[in-house]
Amino acid sequence: MNELESLKSIFKDRIFKIPDYQRGYAWTTRQLKDFWEDLVNVPIDRYHYTGLLSLKKVDSKVWTNWNEEKWLIEDRGFKPFHIVDGQQRLTTFVIFIQSICELLINNGENINKSENEIYLGSFSLKAIKEEYLVIEKPPRFIIRTHKFGYEVDNPSFKFLRHRIFQEPNSGTIQETFYTLNLDNAKSFFKENLNIYYEKYGLKEIDILFKKVTQNLMFNVYEISDDFDVFVAFETMNNRGKKLSNLELLKNRLIYLTTLYDKNQLKDDERNSLREKINEAWKEVYYQLGRNKQNPLNDDDFLVAHWIMYFQYTREKGDDYIRFLLEQKFTPQNIYAKTEVRLSSIQEFEEIKDDEEPDLDEVEINGEEEITSFRSKLSPKEIEEYVNSLKSAAVHWYNTYNPVNNLNLTNQESLWIDRLNRIGIIYFRPLITASFLTENTNPKKRVQLFKAIERFIFITFRLSRAFSTYRNSEFYRAARQLRDNELTVENIIQILNQRMNYCFYMSEESKEVFFEYTYFQKYIDKKFKSGGGFYSWNGLRYFLYEYEMEKVRLRGSQKIDWKLFIKNEKDKVSIEHIYPQTPANKCWKDDFNNYKKTQQVYFQGTLGNLLPLSQSVNSSLQNDCFSSKKTAKYNEKKEKLRQGYADGSHSEIEVSGYDEWNPNNILDRGLKLLEFMEQRWDLKFESENEKAELLFLDFMNPDEYVEQRNK
């Protein structure tokens, strides 16, 4: 361990590269705020311990291939280092310094000045850049050498150069899960530095610069050649922002490629395998960060892929990473040898004299055989695994982002979107796996998606099964589908069989009907707690599907799902047409024939709940039906609410009723249950059953239905 060094000392005559086994930039706003507050609050006359910086000197075999850095190493004596621990802090520092440079350039006093003419305290902008960011090779200044960066094939390096350091002529830049964090850090410092400058002036910006380069101190440690750098990386990076399991796995796999002897993995094969690991992770992190508004969790993806690729076992939540890092991809499985026998007349790789200690030759029945001892974990297994991760990533992304997705057919997009809306629970690995086998096509996949959606709605939303019901079986089915051990037809059959408890056969007609009593008991509890159908967790999905059926028949979508499920304070997107507080005389006249205990059921029953195209203030729910049917304005002619007649298709349908009374509530409830029967292929035995499920059987529904049919 060396003495404490400042950033100014650390960057003197050094070039830093983040090696391929490292994760990308992982700091988020929370860590950036901590850094900013530390920097602002540390006194200018005090030092602040920042942490450990572990470095590994780069071998000449490696840096001689660095085109843009080689001149600084050979001509000016710079020393090249890989950053083993501390890259998050160093990355943050250089982004902060870059942000200060941009603040200086954009200062009105510096317009049209060269970098030699712009100063921060006694440092010119050119000197600052050359010391911490980039040096141009004289005399032609074509080569721009970054003192800090990633290995060249890492998409974060191109993003860092062109989006963070504003180097021009970038071309296409691949954005990943990590580049989002780089961009966020740049925006954070730009905003806070501008505010700080406007409040305190350039002198205080100079003080911040001196603090970051001279007052923040590192313990710098150089790892010796014989030290296991990969193990060091795993150990050291468990401090600070913890490595994700996907990040740990990448480091482990690259480490394993270094352990094979040359009999099993020649140098060109070793390099190729390492490149495939890097390419796989590059693709994975591209897909995970592809949607900037909703970046995907890397460990969720790793768990799902483990379910699809290996034999699922139902144990603790972290069982998958113990299997990957402690059972499958371990150094022990490289060192442990298994015996392989090959006939000498078969094709076999050339055996060199110096490789003979690993081989035995025996003669059996007059034939010569070659016995070779190979690692329990072969390089081919690693290659197949990382290629599978790579190919699964885009399909994982597609399951979260199906809308307007050119990789999906219209029907695939429609049904995956439905699955996300209803709550996909544990089926995402199975859906992803359906894209990874040659035995499926878009038509078969849509059949599977329809069956899964029906299973979720009937089993979980209606029949109230526990959220883990049969999850192990369908996790295993994901792997079996990927491995062609099961077909889509097999899985659909299993899905239908697992819903048998949701149905019963009539002894008289021998027809199969929906067993609604599970759902009825659930809704009864909701009525007792004051909500009724309004508290059903499948209500929004059901009403939205009813609305979308009207859209398919008539066109013109009027309800946006994201706004429909958004919870706004004191506003509603599903209205009780007959209100929960029916104070107006109009409501009393229509419902006074029923007891107050019965009026509660009219308020909370399915037929009284209406999806609105625009949310309204909850107080407006108490208006009379005649007022709700048309738009309402205040004295200033400002619209307070949308009228049913101009609203969603469901609102327009309700506006067709002349009045809103008990009979019409039952009528609409029955219509909605008829839609449920058609949409999810289930059947109620009688209208009485439907009325009972609607909690309106006290109305003498047989008499009403007879009048309705006339």
Side-chain angles (χ1 to χ4, degrees):
M1 197 72 72
N2 299 335
E3 293 182 5
L4 294 178
E5 289 189 48
S6 67
L7 202 67
K8 185 177 180 67
S9 170
I10 290 167
F11 269 75
K12 183 175 176 57
D13 298 334
R14 282 187 176 119
I15 293 174
F16 300 102
K17 287 277 192 182
I18 299 169
D20 60 353
Y21 56 81
Q22 279 271 22
R23 60 173 163 178
Y25 186 62
W27 274 20
T28 58
T29 303
R30 183 176 65 82
Q31 287 86 20
L32 295 171
K33 282 182 177 178
D34 290 343
F35 169 82
W36 175 261
E37 289 171 4
D38 284 346
L39 186 62
V40 169
N41 294 324
V42 65
I44 188 62
D45 59 346
R46 297 281 298 276
Y47 294 111
H48 181 75
Y49 178 67
T50 308
L52 177 68
L53 179 62
S54 298
L55 306 174
K56 175 74 164 60
K57 196 168 182 180
V58 178
D59 191 273
S60 60
K61 293 178 182 178
V62 176
W63 66 253
T64 48
N65 295 316
W66 294 356
N67 183 62
E68 294 182 341
E69 294 82 10
K70 187 165 63 171
W71 72 278
L72 273 180
I73 300 168
E74 292 179 336
D75 299 347
R76 298 195 180 179
F78 277 61
K79 294 178 182 177
F81 290 94
H82 275 153
I83 304 169
V84 179
D85 186 32
Q87 69 122 329
Q88 304 294 332
R89 290 181 291 277
L90 277 192
T91 307
T92 303
F93 289 155
V94 296
I95 294 174
F96 178 79
I97 292 170
Q98 172 66 23
S99 301
I100 286 181
C101 292
E102 291 179 28
L103 178 69
L104 294 174
I105 292 169
N106 296 326
N107 189 325
E109 297 178 2
N110 294 328
I111 299 297
N112 298 324
K113 286 185 179 179
S114 69
E115 292 184 351
N116 278 321
E117 298 173 306
I118 299 174
Y119 276 82
L120 181 65
S122 60
F123 296 96
S124 72
L125 178 58
K126 182 176 177 62
I128 292 172
K129 283 190 168 185
E130 288 190 344
E131 192 160 2
Y132 299 102
L133 303 176
V134 61
I135 304 175
E136 294 181 331
K137 182 182 179 182
R140 295 178 181 83
F141 303 103
I142 293 174
I143 292 179
R144 291 171 55 85
T145 305
H146 290 267
K147 297 191 70 176
F148 172 91
Y150 298 81
E151 295 288 0
V152 175
D153 63 346
N154 191 317
S156 290
F157 190 33
K158 192 170 186 181
F159 191 93
L160 189 74
R161 291 178 67 159
H162 298 286
R163 295 285 178 84
I164 305 302
F165 295 153
Q166 296 192 325
E167 190 173 307
N169 307 317
S170 64
T172 302
I173 295 179
Q174 186 185 66
E175 297 186 23
T176 72
F177 185 81
Y178 292 126
T179 61
L180 296 179
N181 293 330
L182 290 171
D183 200 36
N184 178 60
K186 177 75 174 291
S187 299
F188 176 88
F189 288 131
K190 185 176 180 180
E191 179 182 354
N192 281 279
L193 282 169
N194 282 332
I195 294 170
Y196 203 79
Y197 169 71
E198 290 175 7
K199 190 171 183 179
Y200 301 112
L202 198 59
K203 185 177 179 181
E204 290 299 318
I205 297 295
D206 181 35
I207 290 175
L208 287 182
F209 175 73
K210 288 177 180 174
K211 285 182 184 180
V212 81
T213 57
Q214 298 177 36
N215 291 50
L216 301 184
M217 309 298 286
F218 282 92
N219 239 321
V220 180
Y221 182 82
E222 288 192 24
I223 297 175
S224 60
D225 290 337
D226 58 353
F227 193 93
D228 196 338
V229 69
F230 293 96
V231 176
F233 171 73
E234 284 190 23
T235 304
M236 293 171 176
N237 276 276
N238 281 328
R239 297 190 317 272
K241 192 173 190 302
K242 199 176 189 303
L243 284 164
S244 72
N245 291 322
L246 187 60
E247 291 163 338
L248 278 171
L249 181 60
K250 179 191 176 186
N251 171 70
R252 172 64 61 80
L253 293 177
I254 291 179
Y255 171 46
L256 295 182
T257 67
T258 68
L259 301 182
Y260 289 103
D261 59 43
K262 290 186 178 181
N263 293 330
Q264 287 189 259
L265 201 61
K266 295 182 172 61
D267 287 342
D268 57 343
E269 295 170 328
R270 195 185 316 275
N271 292 335
S272 176
L273 183 55
R274 188 160 177 161
E275 285 175 11
K276 287 178 180 179
I277 295 169
N278 280 316
E279 285 297 319
W281 259 256
K282 194 187 302 183
E283 175 67 15
V284 167
Y285 279 113
Y286 165 66
Q287 297 296 345
L288 294 176
R290 197 166 148 192
N291 184 340
K292 292 183 179 180
Q293 282 69 48
N294 183 33
L296 305 178
N297 182 279
D298 47 1
D299 285 338
D300 286 348
F301 170 69
L302 187 58
V303 173
H305 184 267
W306 171 70
I307 288 168
M308 291 183 281
Y309 198 82
F310 294 106
Q311 183 65 47
Y312 174 76
T313 56
R314 188 172 186 173
E315 294 187 24
K316 294 180 180 178
D318 59 353
D319 182 54
Y320 78 100
I321 196 60
R322 287 202 308 273
F323 171 81
L324 292 173
L325 294 180
E326 297 175 19
Q327 296 180 45
K328 183 67 178 178
F329 300 113
T330 66
Q332 291 78 10
N333 284 341
I334 306 291
Y335 299 134
K337 304 294 184 180
T338 58
E339 187 177 289
V340 179
R341 291 186 178 182
L342 293 173
S343 172
S344 61
I345 61 173
Q346 295 175 326
E347 288 189 9
F348 193 68
E349 63 183 346
E350 181 184 354
I351 309 299
K352 298 179 181 178
D353 291 340
D354 59 357
E355 294 174 352
E356 285 184 355
D358 260 355
L359 302 171
D360 293 320
E361 293 186 5
V362 296
E363 192 172 305
I364 300 176
N365 296 329
E367 287 188 8
E368 188 179 53
E369 283 201 358
I370 301 173
T371 301
S372 175
F373 292 91
R374 299 295 166 123
S375 292
K376 186 177 178 182
L377 175 66
S378 71
K380 192 67 179 175
E381 285 182 85
I382 295 176
E383 180 197 22
E384 290 173 351
Y385 176 72
V386 300
N387 285 342
S388 177
L389 276 171
K390 182 180 179 181
S391 61
V394 64
H395 303 300
W396 183 251
Y397 167 85
N398 291 341
T399 68
Y400 281 95
N401 301 278
V403 178
N404 299 322
N405 189 319
L406 298 179
N407 292 326
L408 303 172
T409 66
N410 290 336
Q411 283 294 302
E412 285 175 324
S413 174
L414 172 68
W415 283 95
I416 294 176
D417 187 38
R418 279 178 169 151
L419 286 165
N420 280 313
R421 283 191 273 107
I422 195 173
I424 205 166
I425 51 176
Y426 52 71
F427 284 103
R428 202 176 296 278
L430 178 57
I431 293 163
T432 304
S434 71
F435 290 92
L436 295 172
T437 171
E438 295 177 357
N439 291 339
T440 61
N441 55 43
K443 185 177 179 181
K444 286 187 176 182
R445 283 194 289 269
V446 169
Q447 291 171 353
L448 176 63
F449 302 160
K450 285 181 178 180
I452 292 172
E453 189 266 356
R454 180 173 181 262
F455 179 85
I456 292 172
F457 185 77
I458 293 175
T459 305
F460 297 104
R461 299 295 171 259
L462 294 182
S463 298
R464 315 311 302 169
F466 288 117
S467 60
T468 56
Y469 173 69
R470 312 305 299 192
N471 67 338
S472 296
E473 181 175 22
F474 291 110
Y475 281 152
R476 287 192 293 271
R479 182 191 59 79
Q480 290 169 319
L481 179 63
R482 191 191 73 86
D483 291 344
N484 299 319
E485 296 172 8
L486 283 179
T487 65
V488 164
E489 291 79 9
N490 296 147
I491 295 173
I492 291 173
Q493 185 178 12
I494 295 169
L495 285 163
N496 291 333
Q497 289 172 349
R498 298 301 175 254
M499 286 191 290
N500 284 342
Y501 82 96
C502 304
F503 298 90
Y504 69 91
M505 181 179 287
S506 168
E507 293 183 3
E508 295 179 6
S509 66
K510 302 303 180 184
E511 288 186 85
V512 175
F513 297 104
F514 176 59
E515 176 56 81
Y516 66 94
T517 53
Y518 299 106
F519 187 42
Q520 185 188 34
K521 289 176 182 177
Y522 166 78
I523 296 296
D524 184 42
K525 290 179 181 178
K526 296 300 179 184
F527 268 114
K528 288 175 180 175
S529 61
F533 277 88
Y534 190 81
S535 300
W536 172 34
N537 67 345
L539 179 67
R540 275 176 166 73
Y541 182 75
F542 173 75
L543 292 178
Y544 188 80
E545 281 300 299
Y546 183 76
E547 175 71 16
M548 292 308 293
E549 179 64 21
K550 303 297 179 185
V551 171
R552 281 185 280 278
L553 295 172
R554 304 170 188 169
S556 184
Q557 183 173 339
K558 299 187 178 184
I559 294 181
D560 180 275
W561 174 255
K562 290 182 180 178
L563 297 177
F564 185 51
I565 60 173
K566 185 178 180 182
N567 292 319
E568 296 180 86
K569 188 178 180 181
D570 298 326
K571 288 196 173 186
V572 294
S573 56
I574 296 178
E575 181 165 65
H576 294 79
I577 306 171
Y578 170 46
Q580 292 174 293
T581 53
N584 289 339
K585 184 177 182 298
C586 57
W587 296 118
K588 293 178 180 178
D589 292 343
D590 286 327
F591 289 86
N592 267 353
N593 291 336
Y594 291 92
K595 302 174 185 177
K596 285 189 176 180
T597 54
Q598 294 173 324
Q599 290 174 10
V600 170
Y601 290 111
F602 288 121
Q603 291 158 1
T605 192
L606 186 61
N608 190 54
L609 303 174
L610 184 63
L612 304 178
S613 59
Q614 294 180 6
S615 59
V616 300
N617 290 330
S618 54
S619 60
L620 296 175
Q621 285 193 103
N622 301 325
D623 289 348
C624 293
F625 183 65
S626 58
S627 298
K628 291 183 178 185
K629 287 170 69 170
T630 57
K632 185 170 185 177
Y633 298 87
N634 61 17
E635 295 176 355
K636 297 179 181 179
K637 304 297 181 182
E638 297 170 332
K639 186 182 283 189
L640 295 177
R641 71 165 291 155
Q642 184 90 10
Y644 289 167
D646 298 316
S648 66
H649 291 289
S650 300
E651 290 176 86
I652 293 170
E653 186 176 72
V654 166
S655 73
Y657 290 98
D658 293 329
E659 56 185 343
W660 197 247
N661 55 33
N663 282 348
N664 289 338
I665 290 176
L666 175 60
D667 180 68
R668 182 164 180 270
L670 293 172
K671 282 181 180 177
L672 289 171
L673 290 185
E674 286 169 8
F675 166 72
M676 184 184 289
E677 288 178 306
Q678 296 164 8
R679 171 67 175 76
W680 286 281
D681 190 22
L682 54 86
K683 191 175 181 180
F684 295 96
E685 189 165 4
S686 66
E687 298 291 286
N688 261 333
E689 281 194 350
K690 292 180 186 177
E692 189 177 344
L693 178 57
L694 295 169
F695 289 82
L696 299 179
D697 49 315
F698 60 84
M699 289 180 64
N700 192 2
D702 281 341
E703 179 183 318
Y704 167 73
V705 169
E706 186 178 331
Q707 294 175 354
R708 183 185 182 218
N709 291 337
K710 289 180 180 178

